[in-house]
Structure formats: C-alpha cells, structure tokens
C-alpha cells in the first residue's frame, strides 16, 4: 500500500455528469429502515458462498403467496444491466399503501426522464410523504443535508436521496427527500416496505414529488416493473393513477459486486471481487483482473473525495503479464461516502475517466 501524494495524482469528482478529469454516471437517493440493523458484510458473503443451490435458497426465503416467485430474488452473479434487459426484481411501489398516486412523469418523460434517467418514474405525492423501500436490500448511499431546489438544471445535484443495493448489480434510488428526514444509514439492512425518509423540496423539480428508478452500479436507470397480487408486470404510464399493494416480498441482504468491465474506460477488465458500492473496514476483499492499458505496470484502487480533488487513499497492485491481484486494506479511511475506482497506470499521475459512488462502513 502506498500513500497518495508523491506517486499518484488524480483529479476527480463524484456526482452525476462530467467533472474535471472524470466521467461519472451516478445518480441520487436517501433512506433508512425504522428498525434497520447493521449489516455484517462478512456474514453476507459467507452465506452467498455456502448456499447449497439457488433453488434451495429460493424455496427457503420466498414467502408463500408471492405473486412472482421467479423474480423474488436478485439474479445470481454480477450483471452490468446496460443492455435494456428488464430488471428481474419484484418491486412494490415506494408510495404509501392504499393511497392513489398519479404518475406525473413516466419512462421516456419529456421534462427530465431521458439519457441516464430514461426508465425513471415521478410519483405525485405531497410534501412530508413517507417513502418506502421497494424491495429488500442494503443501504449504500444517503444524501440528507441539501436544502436547495428549483426548476433549472443547476439544481440537479442538489437533491437528497437514498440508494439501496438489492444484489446482482441491481439498485433502487429514491430522490427529492426532505433534509434530515432519512431513517437509514449506509450498511443498514431494510425490508420491502420499510420507511426510508420523507419527501421534501430538494433538487431539480417543478413541485413536490418522489423520483424513483431501478439502476445499475453506474446509477444509470434500467427497465423495471412493479408487483401486484396479480403478478409482477405492471408498467406505470404517465398520468396513470397507481396504488401500492401489500404484497409479500422476499428478504435479501446480499451485496453486489462490480461487473467485470466496470472500469474498462480506466484500463481495467475481467474484474473479479470488487464490492459494488459498499465497503466494510474490517473486510479485505481479494480483487483480480486484467490491465488493458498498453504498458501498464500498476493498477490503483483509489478512494476519492465526493466533492472532487486528489485521492485520499490508494492501494497499488503490480501488473504481471497483463494481470493483477491483491487485497484491499482500508487503512486509516474513516467510515463515510466517497467515490471509488480502479485505474491502470504506467507510473506517475493517473486520470480517472470513471468512478462510482460507494460507502465505507465500520
């Protein structure tokens, strides 16, 4: 391990859009379960490795009467979810049970649901409305301090939000929350229907509403459907009135890994073992892969400050015959929220074309 300074210099920010020296395709969200408990990442990883078979696991934890048991659990392995495939995840609407809610902007909406947000929904709920977890998972990001809002694009990065990891590379994001209303923190395990926060005035908006999307590790929205007692194929359309149902959804506390080519823009491919968006200080994950940058001699694991600037932590892995391997030990890194990246280099300063939002927990 090497301290950042003499050997490595990076210019990077963490957010949605283009920053100095780094392209970040990330989005916003915030949440916490009323009775959330701290996740033991080691236990979650051990469970994933010792399951006797996917079918036995599915039978053990899918509740009786689930409307779509084939979508009750996240897919096995790690997927990129950037090919337009519908997320095979059973979701409840994130709005209060039994309350009719109008979809004020659906997928491919003209105001803001295009590009990375193409498959999002805006639900027309009022201020101070409770926001519910759409599926069981682990909290990986909470933004809860912002108070600015307005119609212009300059307010896009001013929203409060929560992001949940549902395993298999699938996440949900809950946006435009009230400052100080989050009931969860990174590392908390939540169940479907747990209260995460309340709606408020934050970010780019024309009025109170809840923005919701299913997304991949880069915070790019992916196609999704919602569960009802009749199945899991409900696609809410703009101006439709929807009602959240109390469907029995499965529990889940498994964490995602980064897909193999997540940092291809950074000269790294065939990646195995890097946590998706949550790191535990007590864990030392074994990471391996291939360096695609010609002449690469080292691959850096970097932790970046959310507001941009030089990396605050770096772990270097030697490249031998085009490949690298090593364990990440987060020495002297405070539990907090950061940007993380793997970057291949030939010595000296490196640039960071792509990074992702991630939390470090005790």
């Amino acid at each position: 391990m090497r301290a950042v300074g003499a050997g490595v210099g990076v210019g990077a920010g963490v957010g949605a859009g283009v920053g100095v020296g780094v392209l970040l395709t990330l989005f916003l969200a915030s949440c916490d379960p009323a009775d959330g408990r701290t996740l033991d990442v080691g236990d979650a990883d051990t469970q994933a490795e010792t399951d006797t078979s996917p079918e036995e696991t599915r039978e053990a934890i899918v509740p009786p009467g689930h409307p779509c048991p084939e979508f009750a659990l996240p897919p096995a392995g790690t997927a990129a979810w950037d090919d337009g495939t519908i997320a095979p995840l059973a979701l409840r609407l994130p709005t209060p049970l039994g309350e009719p809610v109008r979809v004020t902007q659906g997928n491919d909406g003209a105001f803001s649901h295009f590009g990375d947000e193409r498959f999002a929904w805006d639900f027309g709920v009022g201020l101070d409305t409770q926001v519910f977890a759409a599926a069981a998972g682990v909290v990986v990001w909470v933004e809860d301090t912002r108070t600015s809002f307005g119609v212009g694009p300059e307010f896009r990065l001013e929203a409060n939000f929560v992001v949940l990891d549902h395993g298999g590379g699938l996440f949900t994001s809950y946006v435009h929350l009230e400052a100080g209303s989050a009931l969860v923190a990174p590392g908390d395990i939540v169940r479907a229907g747990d209260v995460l926060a309340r709606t408020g005035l934050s970010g780019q908006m024309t009025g109170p509403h809840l923005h919701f999307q299913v997304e991949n590790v880069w915070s790019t929205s992916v196609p999704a459907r919602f569960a009802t007692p009749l199945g899991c194929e409900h696609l809410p359309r703009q101006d439709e009135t929807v009602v959240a149902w109390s469907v029995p959804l499965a529990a889940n506390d498994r964490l995602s890994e980064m897909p193999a080519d997540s940092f291809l823009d950074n000269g790294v491919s065939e990646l195995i073992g890097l946590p998706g968006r949550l790191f535990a200080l007590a864990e030392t994950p074994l990471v391996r892969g291939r360096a695609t940058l010609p002449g690469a001699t080292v691959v850096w694991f970097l932790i970046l400050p959310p507001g941009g600037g030089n990396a605050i932590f770096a772990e270097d892995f030697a490249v031998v015959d085009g490949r690298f391997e090593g364990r990440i030990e987060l020495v002297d890194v405070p539990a907090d929220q950061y940007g993380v990246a793997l970057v291949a280099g030939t010595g000296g300063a490196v640039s960071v074309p792509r990074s992702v939002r991630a939390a470090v927990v005790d």
Side-chain angles (χ1 to χ4, degrees), residues 14-16 25-32 117 131 139-148 155-164 171-186 196-204 209-213 215 218-219 277 306 337-338 356-359:
V14 178
T25 52
L26 309 171
F27 197 69
L28 318 171
S30 169
C31 130
D32 190 3
E117 300 174 20
V131 176
V139 181
V140 294
W141 193 276
V142 174
E143 177 55 62
D144 191 43
T145 64
R146 294 166 175 163
T147 57
S148 297
F155 293 101
R156 182 174 182 271
L157 299 182
E158 296 299 320
N160 294 313
F161 60 96
V162 170
V163 177
L164 306 182
F171 303 79
T172 53
S173 181
Y174 311 75
V175 187
H176 304 306
L177 307 178
E178 178 68 21
S181 72
L183 300 176
V184 291
L196 306 176
R198 301 189 311 275
T199 56
L201 298 175
S202 66
Q204 185 182 13
H209 69 279
L210 172 66
H211 175 106
F212 173 86
Q213 65 186 41
E215 59 187 40
W218 305 289
S219 300
R277 291 173 69 173
Q337 298 182 150
Y338 303 96
V356 298
R357 283 185 172 136

Side-chain angles (χ1 to χ4, degrees), residues 341-353:
L342 281 175
V343 187
T346 57
V350 294
S351 61
V352 186

Side-chain angles (χ1 to χ4, degrees), residues 199-251:
T199 56
L201 298 175
S202 66
Q204 185 182 13
M205 58 196 318
T206 58
H209 69 279
L210 172 66
H211 175 106
F212 173 86
Q213 65 186 41
V214 178
E215 59 187 40
N216 59 24
V217 292
W218 305 289
S219 300
T220 298
S221 64
V222 300
R225 302 292 185 266
F226 290 93
T228 75
L230 301 178
C232 291
E233 300 297 327
H234 184 201
L235 174 62
R237 306 287 184 178
Q238 185 156 329
D239 295 323
E240 179 183 351
T241 296
V242 295
V243 179
W245 293 82
S246 181
V247 292
L249 299 184

